């Protein structure tokens, strides 16, 4: 018998997917409901904003900021 | 993005949406007819011209014989626009669609002829006050010295009236319009525009009221700032028209007035005597936007350059700040130079004619803008990290943060790029042209187009926009655990057919439908089960 499950599908490239997996691991896997394929994940609808925030934080770490360098 | 089309609604679209009887009343004014004619597309102008002195109906096929095959789309658009404006009346033969006859709207034809050839039009184009009007009555009974004084006063007043010429009007319009824009960008220390303007900004969703009563600029407002001045004025006026309708003002009166403004002569005094009651109340509002100058004591008004470009299809003024800056810059020189600055884009390479606010962007994201207008600088600061200000220029840098800030404010990467491109320094354009010529010399078949901005900068700005949405997500339902492939296919294909399928994986026998479409899929699944049960029976 088929089953329908409520959730939010997240479409992203594999590198972002890896980051989301990492975020999920840190939180005892309460975010990801199902790993669908290389570019899709099924996540808890309530967590999408949290994922976005975390992604932003992680990605910002790797940004070169030309202004900081000048001020230093 | 839907907000992109925010300012695309033009005055033509507004007019098309008016009821036919309103349109007909509008066409009674020759000035309005002329103004509408001026804002119509070129092909429509041509078609109207061919029909205006022809009383007979014209077959649509005859008209279409004028356009080549490539122009068919444009032709149909022109016909469509004109018929929804009811400028032309179609008489369709129900038996033969090819035999459609077209004639010009009778009211429009008469008014437009009057506008062209000069008939009974004087009132609709405003009433000019001749210079010899006697504002000051010279009472012959008064003694000699007072009479002399009055004469002097009169002379002085006459001189003053003449001094209220283009320079004064340009300055006035610039002040008014800049006040509005400055208020929107939130330049500190600027006075707020009048109540009606603020109301309009709120109604147009360009600014919204915060909980503490302060006004804050919205996403739409940010986009508004990057538009050309002509678009900005019309956006506000259309908003004004909508507001006027809800205040039970007669739209015909308002439109007639706006269209009349577009045909007034700059620097000429016009009498307010011929205006209707509604139009008198408009005077004040329009002077708040800087479209006209109206001294409340005097029974006269002047139109400014901002009003005269209303119905001109010359999009020569690129942005508010430019127009105003060049006006201010030329306020000391003679006015013909100022006019030239506004009207002439070809002469840009002449160094004396470089528009204020021209900017140069280097491949290292550094930006130099030759401007000292606070407004120009305020607009730049929406998406540039500004570093230093000199007497005639500002320097800054485009950074990830500065672009992200703009993106979060609702400005799109395309808008930023378009703004940069339209404000590029002539030197940048020249360099781009040289490069393109070189490329075409090497390879005549090159598909390269003119790249005014460094491609790295353009790409990076676009990438920064993409980066903001690293993930795309949809709420919905995941269907899984299908027993058979057939069952899976039936349901997945159905979801795909009704356009709610977002993702599927045949191997895993799973698919995902969006939130809205789920109930339909469930419904279908139930029917399938029922049918199977019946088949089993």
């Amino acid at each position: 018998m088929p089953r329908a499950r409520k959730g939010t599908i997240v479409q992203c490239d594999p590198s972002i997917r890896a980051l989301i997996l990492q975020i999920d691991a840190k939180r005892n896997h309460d975010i990801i409901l199902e790993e669908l394929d290389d570019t899709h994940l099924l996540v808890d609808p309530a967590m999408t904003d949290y994922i976005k925030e975390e992604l932003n934080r992680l990605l910002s770490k790797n940004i070169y900021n030309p202004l900081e360098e000048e001020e230093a | 993005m839907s907000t992109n089309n925010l300012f695309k609604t033009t005055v033509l679209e507004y007019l098309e949406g008016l009821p036919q009887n309103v349109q007909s009343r509008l066409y009674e004014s020759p000035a309005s007819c002329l103004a509408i004619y001026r804002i119509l597309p070129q092909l429509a102008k041509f078609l109207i011209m061919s029909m205006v002195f022809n009383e007979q109906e014209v077959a649509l096929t005859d008209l279409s014989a004028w356009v080549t095959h490539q122009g068919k789309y444009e032709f149909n658009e022109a016909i469509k626009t004109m018929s929804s404006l009811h400028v032309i009346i179609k008489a369709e033969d129900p038996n033969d669609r090819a035999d459609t006859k077209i004639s010009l709207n009778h009211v429009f034809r008469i008014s437009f002829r009057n506008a062209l050839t000069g008939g009974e039009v004087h009132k609709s184009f405003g009433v000019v006050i001749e210079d010899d009007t006697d504002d000051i009555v010279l009472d012959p009974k008064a003694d000699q010295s007072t009479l002399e004084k009055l004469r002097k006063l009169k002379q002085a007043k006459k001189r003053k009236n003449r001094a209220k010429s283009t320079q004064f009007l340009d300055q006035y319009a610039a002040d008014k319009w800049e006040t509005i824009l400055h208020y929107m960008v939130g330049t500190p220390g600027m006075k707020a525009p009048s109540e009606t303007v603020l109301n309009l900004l709120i109604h147009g969703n360009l600014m919204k009221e915060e909980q503490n009563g302060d006004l804050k600029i919205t996403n739409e407002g940010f986009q508004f700032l990057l538009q050309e001045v002509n678009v900005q004025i019309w956006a506000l006026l259309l908003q004004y028209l909508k507001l006027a309708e809800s205040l039970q003002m007669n739209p015909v009166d308002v439109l007639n007035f706006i269209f009349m403004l577009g045909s007034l002569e700059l620097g000429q005094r016009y009498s307010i005597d011929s205006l209707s009651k509604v139009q008198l109340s408009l005077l004040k509002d329009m002077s708040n936007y800087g479209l006209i100058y109206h001294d409340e004591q005097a029974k006269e008004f002047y139109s400014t350059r901002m009003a005269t470009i209303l119905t001109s299809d010359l999009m020569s003024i690129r942005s508010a700040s430019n127009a105003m800056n060049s006006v201010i810059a030329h306020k000391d020189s003679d006015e013909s130079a100022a006019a030239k600055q506004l009207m002439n884009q070809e002469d840009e390479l002449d160094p004396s004619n470089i528009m204020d606010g021209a900017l140069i962007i280097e491949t290292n994201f550094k930006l130099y803008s030759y401007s000292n207008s606070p407004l120009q600088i305020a607009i730049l600061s929406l998406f540039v990290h500004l570093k230093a200000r000199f007497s005639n220029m500002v320097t800054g840098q485009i950074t990830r943060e500065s672009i992200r800030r703009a993106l979060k404010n609702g400005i799109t990467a395309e808008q930023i790029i378009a703004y940069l491109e339209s404000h590029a320094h002539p030197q940048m354009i020249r360099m781009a042209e040289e490069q393109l010529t070189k490329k075409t010399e090497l390879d005549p078949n090159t598909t390269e187009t003119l790249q005014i901005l460094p491609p790295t900068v353009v790409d990076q700005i676009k990438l920064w926009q993409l980066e903001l949405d690293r993930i795309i997500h949809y709420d919905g339902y995941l269907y899984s655990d299908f027993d058979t492939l057939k069952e899976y296919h039936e349901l997945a294909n159905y979801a795909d057919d009704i356009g709610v399928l977002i993702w599927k994986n045949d191997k895993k026998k799973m698919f995902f439908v969006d939130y809205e479409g789920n109930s339909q899929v469930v419904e279908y699944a139930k029917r399938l089960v029922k049918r199977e049960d019946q088949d089993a029976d």
Side-chain angles (χ1 to χ4, degrees):
Chain A
M1 192 59 201
R3 190 163 73 105
R5 224 178 344 158
K6 199 175 174 201
T8 293
I9 196 164
V10 168
Q11 187 187 338
C12 55
D13 51 65
S15 64
I16 299 295
R17 179 180 182 272
L19 279 175
I20 298 178
L21 290 183
Q22 193 192 330
I23 296 168
D24 181 55
K26 264 193 240 154
R27 292 190 42 121
N28 292 322
H29 305 280
D30 71 343
I31 295 175
I32 296 176
L33 306 176
E34 180 112 27
E35 292 173 34
L36 300 177
D37 60 21
D38 282 351
T39 54
H40 291 85
L41 292 167
L42 188 75
V43 302
D44 185 342
M47 300 305 287
T48 47
D49 285 333
Y50 174 77
I51 297 172
K52 276 191 188 168
E53 267 170 47
E54 278 298 292
L55 276 180
N56 246 331
R57 200 177 56 80
L58 290 172
L59 289 169
S60 301
K61 277 190 198 164
N62 303 327
I63 299 292
Y64 160 72
N65 189 343
L67 299 170
E68 273 171 14
E69 193 185 56
E70 264 174 39
E71 279 153 18
Chain B
M1 263 178 230
S2 60
T3 46
N4 267 355
N5 301 320
L6 189 65
F7 302 106
K8 294 276 158 66
T9 8
T10 58
V11 58
L12 274 183
E13 280 163 41
Y14 174 81
L15 292 172
E16 282 174 31
L18 288 174
Q20 195 181 346
N21 59 341
V22 177
Q23 290 172 345
S24 301
R25 271 187 293 149
L26 190 63
Y27 297 152
E28 283 167 16
S29 153
S32 299
C33 289
L34 188 62
I36 292 168
Y37 174 77
R38 288 174 72 187
I39 53 182
L40 278 172
Q42 301 293 355
L43 192 58
K45 284 182 188 160
F46 174 74
L47 294 176
I48 289 179
M49 265 306 160
S50 68
M51 287 187 284
V52 68
F53 293 110
N54 178 6
E55 301 281 352
Q56 308 297 319
E57 287 181 326
V58 184
L60 186 61
T61 43
D62 286 351
L63 287 180
S64 66
W66 257 317
V67 285
T68 58
H69 189 66
Q70 291 99 314
K72 272 281 175 300
Y73 175 76
E74 223 176 300
F75 177 76
N76 288 334
E77 283 297 298
I79 292 289
K80 208 175 96 199
T81 308
M82 287 193 293
S83 40
S84 35
L85 285 170
H86 295 100
V87 164
I88 53 171
I89 309 289
K90 268 191 202 174
E92 255 168 273
D93 190 339
N95 300 324
D96 184 10
R97 284 191 66 86
D99 195 30
T100 308
K101 294 261 198 265
I102 282 184
S103 61
L104 220 48
N105 182 332
H106 187 62
V107 188
F108 183 87
R109 186 205 301 274
I110 292 176
S111 297
F112 190 52
R113 274 190 195 173
N114 278 340
L116 287 179
T117 55
E120 293 151 17
V121 295
H122 54 282
K123 276 198 177 161
S124 79
F125 284 102
V127 178
V128 178
I129 300 179
E130 300 300 336
D131 233 12
D132 52 64
T133 38
D134 291 309
D135 316 54
I136 300 162
V137 187
L138 299 173
D139 188 1
K141 274 176 259 168
D143 63 274
Q144 207 58 39
S145 66
T146 25
L147 210 60
E148 195 55 39
K149 233 185 255 166
L150 280 174
R151 268 207 196 96
K152 270 194 185 144
L153 199 69
K154 191 174 170 182
Q155 296 246 308
K157 197 168 181 194
K158 262 192 183 171
R159 237 175 289 135
K160 206 176 115 213
N161 275 340
R162 250 182 248 123
K164 228 173 265 172
S165 62
T166 36
Q167 286 159 33
F168 172 84
L169 293 173
D170 284 343
Q171 183 68 40
Y172 176 83
D175 278 352
K176 284 286 180 194
W177 194 248
E178 279 214 348
T179 308
I180 299 178
L181 296 182
H182 265 302
Y183 183 77
M184 289 182 71
V185 271
T187 318
M190 288 300 287
K191 58 179 191 295
S194 71
E195 195 68 28
T196 49
V197 176
L198 294 185
N199 260 335
L200 206 59
L201 292 179
I202 297 170
H203 264 271
N205 207 13
L206 300 176
M207 298 190 92
K208 63 168 182 276
E209 214 159 354
E210 295 276 271
Q211 270 165 353
N212 56 12
D214 285 352
L215 288 180
K216 197 180 165 284
I217 188 162
T218 62
N219 292 352
E220 285 84 3
F222 277 115
Q223 296 179 25
F224 176 82
L225 286 174
L226 298 185
Q227 305 294 319
E228 291 172 22
V229 67
N230 203 319
V231 179
Q232 288 176 331
I233 300 173
W234 270 119
L236 274 194
L237 284 180
L238 287 180
Q239 208 56 53
Y240 187 89
L241 280 165
K242 275 177 210 151
L243 207 63
E245 265 171 47
S246 65
L247 293 173
Q248 307 289 315
M249 280 163 103
N250 186 350
V252 177
D253 263 358
V254 182
L255 277 169
N256 272 341
F257 187 70
I258 293 174
F259 285 141
M260 180 194 76
L261 288 181
S263 56
L264 297 186
E265 203 174 317
L266 194 65
Q268 188 66 259
R269 293 162 73 199
Y270 288 92
S271 158
I272 63 169
D273 291 337
S274 63
L275 299 180
S276 73
K277 233 183 193 164
V278 177
Q279 293 175 335
L280 283 177
S281 66
L282 284 171
L283 271 181
K284 199 164 178 286
D285 291 335
M286 292 303 146
S287 59
N288 275 332
Y289 311 140
L291 287 177
I292 55 177
Y293 173 80
H294 169 54
D295 187 354
E296 280 184 41
Q297 266 94 50
K299 283 184 160 233
E300 60 189 37
F301 67 95
Y302 301 82
S303 73
T304 68
R305 210 184 290 281
M306 273 171 63
T308 50
I309 60 165
L310 271 181
T311 51
S312 149
D313 56 3
L314 260 177
M315 285 297 215
S316 47
I317 297 178
R318 284 179 176 175
S319 82
S321 50
N322 272 340
M324 297 313 162
N325 285 333
S326 52
V327 165
I328 296 166
H330 284 264
K331 115 185 132 204
D332 300 324
S333 62
D334 68 327
E335 60 106 5
S336 66
K340 207 168 140 202
Q341 169 84 7
L342 288 173
M343 298 307 164
N344 236 340
Q345 286 191 19
E346 288 90 73
D347 289 352
E348 261 175 353
L349 287 176
D350 176 0
S352 66
N353 241 344
I354 289 175
M355 60 170 175
D356 198 54
L359 52 84
I360 289 179
I361 310 162
E362 296 180 332
T363 45
N364 56 9
F365 296 89
K366 285 191 174 144
L367 182 142
Y368 310 88
S369 171
Y370 292 90
S371 168
N372 47 17
S373 134
L375 183 63
Q376 179 80 30
I377 295 168
I379 290 177
L380 272 183
S381 73
L382 292 177
F383 58 85
V384 181
H385 179 93
L386 292 176
K387 268 195 220 145
R389 183 174 171 187
F390 303 98
S391 62
N392 69 337
M393 66 175 277
V394 284
T395 69
Q397 179 136 24
I398 293 179
T399 65
R400 178 171 177 268
E401 277 317 304
S402 72
I403 295 290
R404 276 170 81 99
R405 197 177 59 227
L407 293 171
K408 277 181 191 153
N409 279 332
I411 301 174
T412 65
E414 284 73 27
Q415 284 170 332
I416 295 174
I417 292 164
Y419 183 86
L420 292 174
E421 226 160 50
S422 67
H423 286 78
H425 195 281
Q427 194 62 40
M428 284 186 71
I429 300 172
R430 200 191 286 166
M431 257 171 61
E433 278 167 356
E434 270 169 25
Q435 256 171 13
L436 187 67
T437 335
K438 255 185 229 159
K439 270 178 197 151
T440 35
E441 267 169 24
L442 281 175
D443 175 13
N445 304 322
T446 180
T447 51
E448 291 268 349
T449 50
L450 191 66
Q451 280 183 319
I452 298 169
L453 306 174
T456 46
V457 176
V458 174
D459 289 347
Q460 187 62 69
I461 293 177
K462 283 183 186 156
L463 282 177
W464 277 327
Q465 169 161 282
L466 289 179
E467 194 191 74
L468 210 58
D469 310 300
R470 287 307 279 269
I471 56 172
I472 305 168
H473 61 90
Y474 307 92
D475 288 342
Y477 292 87
L478 180 76
Y479 284 75
S480 55
D481 305 330
F482 286 96
D483 297 329
T484 65
L485 200 63
K486 178 175 165 280
E487 206 176 47
Y488 160 77
H489 271 304
E490 253 176 329
L491 215 49
N493 288 342
Y494 174 74
D496 201 10
D497 285 346
I498 62 171
V500 299
L501 185 81
I502 286 169
W503 172 88
K504 67 171 181 170
N505 188 322
D506 292 349
K507 229 189 250 164
K508 287 187 178 175
K509 286 193 294 206
M510 282 187 205
F511 66 90
F512 192 87
V513 298
D514 67 16
Y515 197 78
E516 285 77 26
N518 184 53
S519 55
Q520 278 171 281
V521 179
V522 171
E523 208 51 45
Y524 186 75
K526 276 185 193 154
R527 258 185 289 158
L528 278 186
V529 173
K530 221 183 204 172
R531 205 173 59 199
E532 263 163 42
D533 286 351
Q534 277 170 355
D535 288 348
D537 283 347

